[in-house]
Amino acid sequence: MKDGEMPGTIDKMRVLVIGGAGYIGSHVTRALLDRGDSVTVYDNLSTGCRQNLFKDVSFIKDDILNYSGLTRVMKKGFDALVHLAAFKAAGESMQKPEKYSVNNISGTINILNAACETGIKNFVFSSSAAVYGEPEYLPIDEKHPTKPENYYGYTKLTIEGFLNWYDKLKNIRFAALRYFNAAGYDPEGRIKGLEKNSANLLPVIMDVAIGKRKELLVFGDDYETKDGTGVRDYVHVTDLARAHLSAMDLLAKKGESFIVNLGSDTGVSVNEMLTAARKITGKPVPSRVVDRRPGDPAKLCATSKKALALLKWKPEYSDVQTMVRTAWNVYKAHSK
Ligand code: UD1
């Protein structure tokens, strides 16, 4: 906020989006640009893509493991940073923990230290529902015990721990946004870059619909859920993106760190997603039931009451039809 400005009003912000060429990062960047903020994207393009770089961002292609690259860009001065640069395949993280330690943990320590060195105080962190592990009760609120079942979730929880300490010791103010299952694409069709090799349900279904993969493997149909398949709380990526803006504004206004769940509070099964996708795409989308995927809970569902109270955030696009339709609008252009 500038001197003399009325308290409570938020000036246009200068924001550094680390991982801004990725799936969620590009939607966050789009939302920031839409409201007139100035955005610098820092991304090594390992999973993000150039197609997601809007013409009005300033782009730095660099790695979060490069500390001097981080300080160089941060010295330009930012009101806030959003950190979404992470590997996110829960299954892979159990096979290759080293990869997740280096990128997710060491990379974030670099970002935190560089933020301290350059005086950036507001830190929006992309955390995950994976911090909770097997649910002890549903819906999951932020007080639910955190016992990650996979190493990916452990990296996110560990980083939340660092953020707590840097808050106490270095006055970094953070918002840790615990996403449930992000899905869908920008409803206006402005984001066209597909995720590379995503292992998540909707991207896999879309790949099958465009002929890039042969079939969807349904990981188990003997769960104690409505139709036996896994149930998740899917939240539209544009809804997630809006929450980042509100989180940033709240940090700037109140100067207090917080952790919130971001979900749609609705459970959708694998079969329900598949049925909706077949209908909307008009494609057969072949599927085959296989064994359960290790580490997969039967059902995950959030309560996002805290996000509503704190951020005045409510999902607007997170119904199954909108998530599938907006994803299909992007994927169908890649049909074989
Ligand atoms: C996991 C993490 C989540 C993280 C996300 C990012 C956990 C518990 N959750 O979500 O925090 O943000 O990864 O990648 O670690 N499925 C199939 N076939 C497929 C793919 C998925 O049947 O080919 C099923 C899964 O068994 C599950 C549902 O679809 O029931 C969603 O899976 P997925 O999209 O991979 O996300 P999560 O594992 O829930």
Side-chain angles (χ1 to χ4, degrees):
M1 202 185 297
K2 286 178 185 154
D3 288 347
E5 197 177 322
M6 291 289 289
T9 55
I10 304 287
D11 200 9
K12 296 298 175 201
M13 291 201 190
R14 293 160 306 158
V15 185
L16 176 62
V17 183
I18 302 176
Y23 169 56
I24 301 179
S26 58
H27 285 84
V28 171
T29 301
R30 188 62 262 163
L32 289 164
L33 293 171
D34 285 349
R35 73 167 192 185
D37 287 348
S38 114
V39 185
T40 298
V41 167
Y42 187 99
D43 199 302
N44 67 0
L45 299 181
S46 71
T47 55
C49 54
R50 237 173 233 288
Q51 231 187 328
N52 285 343
L53 295 168
F54 306 103
K55 66 172 176 19
D56 26 11
V57 298
S58 120
F59 173 58
I60 314 275
K61 181 174 183 297
D62 211 336
D63 204 290
I64 56 176
L65 297 177
N66 181 12
Y67 184 74
S68 59
L70 284 169
T71 50
R72 200 175 315 121
V73 62
M74 287 188 197
K75 275 182 189 149
K76 294 183 181 172
F78 293 95
D79 301 302
L81 73 80
V82 187
H83 169 30
L84 317 99
F87 292 127
K88 60 158 189 161
E92 183 195 50
S93 75
M94 301 297 277
Q95 314 299 325
K96 299 180 184 164
E98 306 87 341
K99 176 175 168 182
Y100 284 72
S101 301
V102 171
N103 190 70
N104 294 12
I105 296 184
S106 305
T108 304
I109 292 176
N110 279 342
I111 296 171
L112 268 170
N113 288 346
C116 292
E117 189 180 326
T118 56
I120 302 179
K121 293 287 174 213
N122 297 319
F123 195 119
V124 179
F125 175 59
S126 130
S127 189
S128 168
V131 301
Y132 295 115
E134 187 66 40
E136 292 180 12
Y137 59 84
L138 290 169
I140 297 176
D141 57 20
E142 292 80 356
K143 295 195 176 86
H144 187 285
T146 47
K147 291 186 198 152
E149 292 266 313
N150 52 60
Y151 193 70
Y152 159 73
Y154 173 77
T155 66
K156 293 288 178 181
L157 185 61
T158 304
I159 293 163
E160 287 189 3
F162 295 143
L163 287 166
N164 265 309
W165 278 106
Y166 274 67
D167 176 332
K168 285 195 200 95
L169 305 175
K170 302 294 289 186
N171 288 321
I172 294 278
R173 300 293 174 242
F174 71 88
L177 308 181
R178 292 179 176 167
Y179 314 149
F180 280 66
N181 291 58
Y185 269 81
D186 175 41
E188 293 181 41
R190 294 167 297 174
I191 296 172
K192 297 186 171 24
L194 300 186
E195 285 190 88
K196 294 174 195 158
N197 296 321
S198 175
N200 293 123
L201 180 64
L202 192 51
V204 173
I205 291 178
M206 289 290 123
D207 275 353
V208 178
I210 62 171
K212 202 167 147 199
R213 298 191 210 207
K214 201 167 107 258
E215 59 187 355
L216 168 75
L217 300 180
V218 176
F219 299 142
D221 66 350
D222 56 352
Y223 285 108
E224 278 187 29
T225 57
K226 44 188 160 185
D227 58 21
T229 62
V231 169
R232 295 290 181 274
D233 182 335
Y234 296 89
V235 52
H236 195 286
V237 66
T238 299
D239 287 329
L240 283 185
R242 282 191 300 111
H244 291 71
L245 275 53
S246 310
M248 207 177 287
D249 292 350
L250 189 65
L251 285 178
K253 232 200 272 187
K254 284 253 172 79
E256 279 170 27
S257 299
F258 59 92
I259 294 177
V260 283
N261 284 345
L262 296 174
S264 63
D265 301 14
T266 325
V268 175
S269 72
V270 173
N271 273 347
E272 285 172 334
M273 191 66 95
L274 186 57
T275 305
R278 284 175 176 151
K279 198 160 168 214
I280 288 166
T281 64
K283 305 280 180 189
V285 193
S287 68
R288 180 159 57 95
V289 177
V290 294
D291 285 347
R292 293 179 179 192
R293 184 171 62 177
D296 263 0
K299 179 170 176 181
L300 280 181
C301 195
T303 165
S304 304
K305 272 195 194 132
K306 187 173 171 187
L308 175 63
L310 207 61
L311 304 175
K312 314 279 171 273
W313 176 83
K314 246 195 354 218
E316 286 173 20
Y317 300 101
S318 297
D319 58 286
V320 182
Q321 278 69 28
T322 306
M323 289 187 290
V324 175
R325 187 176 43 75
T326 55
W328 180 236
N329 283 343
V330 176
Y331 273 82
K332 69 182 174 199
H334 299 259
S335 260
K336 292 197 168 157

